[in-house]
């Protein structure tokens, strides 16, 4: 899981929420009222601020394979919270819309256990193996939170493990594999390229390559 630094929400989204009551007998806007093209504009904004990777698993995303995900599920929210830009991220659709990430999480929410990608320290909750496995850290407080978040989001499935391992193998098998190459990829995990993309599975590669680098110097 990669930390998401929220950017300002689209001006049009702010204006729509402000103007909505005047069009609807004073009722505030809720998420079900959000329609295209504005909805796609909000989704595009989320995708961009995440470096075009899923908020949870880190797979490459674009408008067609993504949905707007509520960190705090809609059924637990006030109307205002359902359109709060701080409560929404872009999640991949998962495998058959069920196996991982937002659709697997569905309506689960526990403020005491959920590790939000908006937490500045969220990356510290998880560790990774060379085989692509995602595991909770050993911290007595963070570990149980990470374990439940992994379970509820389906982030340690065989499919996800294989995808992460393949991404790592692509780096390890390069002929010029070196500390300098690791540093290049670590930079790509932190800063989007000219197309605004972070590396796919950036948090995983950052975690594993960082450990490998420490053993090489």
């Amino acid at each position: 899981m990669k930390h998401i630094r929220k950017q300002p929400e689209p001006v049009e989204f702010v204006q729509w929420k402000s103007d909505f009551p005047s069009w609807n007998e004073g009722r505030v806007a809720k998420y079900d009222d959000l329609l295209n093209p504005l909805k796609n504009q909000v989704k595009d904004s989320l995708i961009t601020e995440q470096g075009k990777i899923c908020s949870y698993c880190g797979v490459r995303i674009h408008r067609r394979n993504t949905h707007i995900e509520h960190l705090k599920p809609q059924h637990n929210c006030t109307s205002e919270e359902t359109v709060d830009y701080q409560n929404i991220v872009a999640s991949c659709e998962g495998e058959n819309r069920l196996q991982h990430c937002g659709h697997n999480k569905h309506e689960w929410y526990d403020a005491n256990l959920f590790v939000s990608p908006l937490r500045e320290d969220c990356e510290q909750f998880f560790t990774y193996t060379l085989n692509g496995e995602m595991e909770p850290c050993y911290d007595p407080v963070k570990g149980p939170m990470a374990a439940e978040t992994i379970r509820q989001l389906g982030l340690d499935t065989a499919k996800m493990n294989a995808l992460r391992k393949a991404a790592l193998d692509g780096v390890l098998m390069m002929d010029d594999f070196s500390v300098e190459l690791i540093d290049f990829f670590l930079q790509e995990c932190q800063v989007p390229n000219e197309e605004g993309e972070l590396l796919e599975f950036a948090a995983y590669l950052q975690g594993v390559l960082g450990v490998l680098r420490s053993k090489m110097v």
Side-chain angles (χ1 to χ4, degrees):
M1 183 181 292
K2 187 73 177 165
H3 170 52
I4 298 170
R5 294 175 176 83
K6 295 294 283 184
Q7 302 299 313
E9 58 191 303
V11 174
E12 295 84 356
F13 188 40
V14 175
Q15 192 65 50
W16 173 77
K17 289 185 285 186
S18 176
D19 291 345
F20 190 89
S22 65
W23 307 333
N24 294 273
E25 300 179 343
R27 180 174 66 83
V28 299
K30 61 181 184 297
Y31 184 72
D32 288 345
D33 298 312
L34 183 61
L35 304 174
N36 287 326
L38 180 57
K39 186 175 183 178
N40 274 336
Q41 187 174 352
V42 172
K43 183 188 288 188
D44 289 344
S45 178
L46 296 171
I47 292 170
T48 297
E49 74 181 10
Q50 293 171 201
K52 301 182 182 180
I53 60 174
C54 174
S55 57
Y56 296 135
C57 73
V59 73
R60 177 73 60 225
I61 57 173
H62 48 76
R63 184 188 291 180
R64 294 182 300 280
N65 71 347
T66 310
H67 68 275
I68 295 176
E69 160 76 356
H70 287 76
L71 298 171
K72 181 180 179 182
Q74 293 185 63
H75 79 285
N76 284 347
C77 291
T78 64
S79 294
E80 291 90 341
E81 287 175 323
T82 66
V83 289
D84 181 356
Y85 196 70
Q86 297 298 314
N87 188 42
I88 56 176
V89 293
S91 169
C92 72
E93 295 285 31
E95 184 179 2
N96 298 323
R97 296 178 62 86
L98 291 174
Q99 296 301 313
H100 57 83
C101 296
H103 288 307
N104 198 76
K105 171 176 166 280
H106 193 42
E107 294 185 349
W108 175 77
Y109 181 75
D110 186 326
N112 295 317
L113 290 175
F114 177 51
V115 182
S116 167
L118 302 191
R119 286 189 62 137
E120 290 188 5
D121 63 345
C122 69
E123 296 171 24
Q124 301 173 16
F125 282 70
F126 309 98
T127 62
Y128 303 93
T129 73
L130 294 173
N131 290 323
E133 296 154 331
M134 182 177 187
E135 299 176 341
C137 69
Y138 296 107
D139 184 271
V141 175
K142 293 179 179 178
M145 295 175 64
E148 186 63 11
T149 298
I150 290 171
R151 188 178 75 84
Q152 293 290 346
L153 296 177
L155 294 178
D156 200 34
T157 64
K159 174 194 174 184
M160 292 309 307
N161 295 345
L163 289 173
R164 286 189 289 255
K165 185 177 185 301
L168 178 63
D169 288 345
V171 177
L172 298 181
M173 291 188 295
M174 290 185 174
D175 293 336
D176 57 344
F177 183 74
S178 62
V179 170
E180 290 73 21
L181 185 66
I182 289 178
D183 286 342
F184 169 79
F185 279 107
L186 290 177
Q187 177 74 3
E188 294 285 299
C189 290
Q190 291 283 4
V191 181
N193 61 20
E194 293 181 355
E195 286 73 43
E197 298 173 343
L198 290 173
L199 276 185
E200 194 172 25
F201 305 115
Y204 168 70
L205 291 175
Q206 182 177 320
V208 175
L209 291 176
V211 171
L212 291 176
R213 187 189 190 285
S214 68
K215 295 179 178 179
M216 295 171 65
V217 296

